[in-house]
């Protein structure tokens, strides 16, 4: 069984806490070091973190002293997960990579870098080879891998089998995003209770761009991005966990909803045989009940790692339309990053 020491940067935040919860009993990774801002550094994790998870704070983490996010303070780990605020992630993640400490990040900062893999293991596992193009260290020991925006995860997981079979021509979607996606303390209660906010600043451009990198072809160490228009409207709704999307897709080839639904239902992920502890047996679950998926009922399916799909039907505009949903802080953040780390171990990048 592989065994590695991991650090968590941004450990006190919403995503950082999810890391600590998900890693508590991880068979391969042990949390050895926690980092956050100078506001938290020097305090015990119990004092520094306003714990918002529904299970008790793991004892191991509770007693740890929070460190500053300086690479020299993390020499005792094999790699770090990052749940850092994007205002500081460029500088801190870059510093760790330059110091030879691999970074597996949730932040948006390096997602568009042409040498940084934007990774969903079931969608584009081959893109991890891009790591070899990075120049943070001479010996290749320091590198960065990112996971996509939390809406993009269920979007591209469902688009992948459709794109392979029919070619995507265009996509229109509306996201109904849970408040945990805004971190802690996040959206003021007076803004969100009994309400829908029809704008999430900076979100739509990520939903427009990231699918084209995720579905890119890797050729001679370079990504050739796919090229289809995505039109997104990102909204915030009074749901705690689980981003739900309505997605309408146009295809290059002729295809109908029954064919699309069968493809999503039968889709086997290319990493199914690798034995990664956090990989769901099936990345997509297609629900037959027309009332599903619902965030409260299905966000936790397969430990929050599965994308739920429902209401696949022929569309009046473009070709087909469906509903997709995934847990934003698990599959769309910490759980996705942990699965990335597992793939990186299996492929020999973490040793
Ligand atoms: P959050 O709750 O606001 O947490 C931010 C973390 O960054 C805290 O641990 C904070 O530490 C730390 N931090 C802030 N300033 C710092 C500094 N100057 N130096 C070192 N650490 C600093 O945010 P979040 O929702 O967990 O999101 C974290 C990252 O993941 C963001 O980049 C976000 O865009 C991304 N993400 C979030 C989600 C989601 O669903 N929430 C999904 C995908 C990606 P202190 O507590 O000490 O201030």
């Amino acid at each position: 069984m592989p065994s590695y020491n991991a650090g968590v940067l941004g450990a006190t935040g919403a995503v950082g806490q999810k890391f600590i919860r998900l890693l508590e009993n991880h068979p391969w990774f042990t949390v050895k070091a926690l980092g956050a801002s100078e506001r938290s550094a020097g305090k015990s994790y119990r004092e520094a973190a306003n714990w918002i998870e529904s299970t008790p704070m793991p004892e191991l983490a509770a007693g740890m002293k929070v460190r500053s996010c300086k690479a020299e303070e993390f020499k005792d780990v094999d790699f770090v997960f990052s749940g850092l605020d994007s205002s500081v992630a460029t500088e801190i993640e870059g510093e760790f990579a330059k110091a030879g400490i691999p970074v597996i990040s949730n932040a948006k900062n390096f997602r568009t870098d042409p040498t940084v893999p934007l990774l969903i293991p079931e969608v584009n596992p081959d893109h991890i080879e891009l790591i070899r193009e990075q120049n943070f260290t001479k010996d290749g020991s320091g590198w960065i891998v990112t996971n996509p925006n939390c809406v993009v995860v269920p979007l591209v997981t469902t688009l992948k089998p459709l794109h392979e079979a029919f070619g995507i021509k265009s996509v229109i979607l509306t996201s109904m995003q849970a408040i945990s996606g805004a971190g802690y303390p996040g959206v003021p209660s007076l803004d969100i209770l009994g309400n829908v906010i029809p704008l999430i600043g900076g979100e739509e451009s990520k939903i427009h761009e990231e699918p084209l990198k995720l579905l890119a072809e890797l050729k001679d160490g370079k990504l050739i991005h796919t090229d289809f228009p995505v039109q997104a409207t990102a909204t915030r709704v009074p749901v705690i966990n689980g981003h739900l999307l309505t997605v309408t897709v146009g295809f290059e080839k002729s295809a109908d909803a029954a064919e699309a639904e069968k493809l999503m239902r039968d889709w086997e992920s290319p990493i199914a045989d690798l034995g990664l502890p956090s990989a769901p047996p099936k990345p997509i679950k297609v629900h037959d009940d027309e009332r599903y998926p619902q965030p409260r009922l299905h966000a936790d399916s397969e430990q929050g790692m599965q994308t739920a799909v429902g209401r696949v039907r022929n569309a009046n505009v473009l070709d087909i339309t469906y509903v997709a949903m995934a847990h934003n802080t698990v599959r769309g953040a910490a759980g996705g990053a942990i699965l990335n780390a597992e793939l990186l171990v299996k492929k020999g990048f973490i040793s």
Side-chain angles (χ1 to χ4, degrees), residues 142-156:
W143 42 261
I144 298 176
V145 165
T146 57
N147 50 348
N149 167 275
C150 38
V151 169
V152 173
V153 175
L155 174 64
V156 175

Side-chain angles (χ1 to χ4, degrees), residues 9-17 35-41 48-50 52 66-69 82-89 92-93 105-109 111 147-151 178-186 203 206 236 243 327-330 332-334:
L9 306 180
T12 48
V15 172
Q17 294 188 22
S37 77
E38 295 304 326
R39 294 179 289 276
S40 308
N50 181 14
I52 55 171
V66 177
R67 307 178 188 183
S68 303
C69 290
S82 167
L84 282 169
D85 192 84
S86 58
S87 62
V88 295
I92 295 174
E93 292 179 359
S105 177
N106 285 276
K108 65 179 181 185
N109 306 53
R111 286 182 193 153
N147 50 348
N149 167 275
C150 38
V151 169
I179 48 179
S180 59
Y184 188 83
E203 195 78 348
K206 292 182 237 169
R236 187 75 69 196
H243 290 351
H327 196 304
N328 52 297
T329 58
V330 181

Side-chain angles (χ1 to χ4, degrees), residues 2-328:
S3 174
Y4 298 96
N5 291 324
V8 179
L9 306 180
T12 48
V15 172
Q17 294 188 22
K18 190 64 83 184
F19 272 124
I20 286 160
R21 176 174 173 182
L22 294 177
L23 290 168
E24 184 180 12
N25 297 310
H26 195 279
W28 299 359
F29 305 141
T30 304
V31 175
K32 202 74 182 179
L34 305 176
S37 77
E38 295 304 326
R39 294 179 289 276
S40 308
K43 296 179 184 166
S44 71
Y45 187 68
R46 186 182 279 110
E47 278 177 281
N50 181 14
W51 188 250
I52 55 171
E53 288 292 320
S54 57
T55 53
M57 181 186 284
E59 274 307 313
L60 179 71
M64 277 184 195
K65 195 188 244 192
V66 177
R67 307 178 188 183
S68 303
C69 290
K70 296 198 173 81
E72 66 264 25
E73 296 196 28
F74 283 76
K75 286 189 175 143
D76 52 346
V77 302
D78 297 304
F79 67 94
V80 291
F81 291 109
S82 167
L84 282 169
D85 192 84
S86 58
S87 62
V88 295
T90 303
E91 194 187 324
I92 295 174
E93 292 179 359
E95 189 215 325
F96 273 69
K98 281 183 196 149
I101 303 173
V103 179
I104 298 167
S105 177
N106 285 276
K108 65 179 181 185
N109 306 53
F110 285 93
R111 286 182 193 153
T112 55
D113 185 308
T115 65
V116 171
L118 178 63
L119 194 60
I120 300 177
E122 294 95 331
V123 168
N124 59 341
D126 56 317
H127 288 196
I128 60 174
E129 293 298 324
L130 273 180
I131 289 173
R132 302 187 200 284
E133 309 298 319
Q134 296 183 19
N135 294 315
F136 289 103
T137 50
K138 284 204 177 98
D139 63 359
S141 59
W143 42 261
I144 298 176
V145 165
T146 57
N147 50 348
N149 167 275
C150 38
V151 169
V152 173
V153 175
L155 174 64
V156 175
T157 301
T158 52
L159 291 182
K160 171 73 175 179
L162 303 178
H163 188 54
E164 279 175 345
F166 312 129
I168 306 285
K169 200 169 175 185
S170 56
V171 178
I172 302 171
L173 74 137
T174 298
S175 65
M176 286 149 263
Q177 300 185 216
I179 48 179
S180 59
Y184 188 83
V187 191
S189 54
L190 267 181
D191 287 347
I192 194 66
L193 283 175
N195 203 13
V196 174
I197 301 171
L199 169 75
I200 302 176
E203 195 78 348
E204 289 162 4
S205 59
K206 292 182 237 169
I207 304 171
H208 295 161
E209 288 160 20
E210 291 180 16
L212 309 181
K213 182 172 179 183
L214 282 155
L215 295 172
E217 185 190 349
L218 181 65
K219 216 171 174 185
D220 302 327
K222 290 202 165 45
L223 290 180
I224 303 161
H225 287 214
T226 43
D227 187 18
F228 54 77
V230 180
Q231 181 61 60
T233 302
T235 76
R236 187 75 69 196
V237 298
V239 162
I240 296 184
N241 291 312
H243 290 351
L244 186 132
L245 341 171
T246 61
V247 187
T248 303
V249 186
F251 297 127
E252 297 285 355
K253 294 182 191 161
S254 151
D256 66 12
E259 292 169 275
E261 181 180 318
K262 181 164 172 26
L263 269 178
M264 288 196 267
R265 197 184 286 279
D266 295 346
W267 187 50
E268 296 290 345
S269 95
I271 57 157
D273 296 336
L274 296 183
L276 306 183
S278 303
K282 285 186 79 70
I284 298 173
K285 156 97 178 164
V286 178
H287 288 272
D288 294 319
D289 191 322
E290 286 191 323
R291 296 169 303 159
Y292 297 161
Q294 296 179 15
R296 204 165 37 161
L297 300 184
H298 306 114
D300 291 323
S301 299
E302 299 292 355
Q303 284 72 49
M305 291 297 284
Q306 193 172 52
T307 292
V309 167
R311 305 206 59 213
V312 187
R313 58 209 194 277
N314 290 317
N316 296 331
V317 180
L318 307 182
D319 290 307
I320 66 147
T321 190
Y322 59 92
V323 177
M325 197 272 309
H327 196 304
N328 52 297

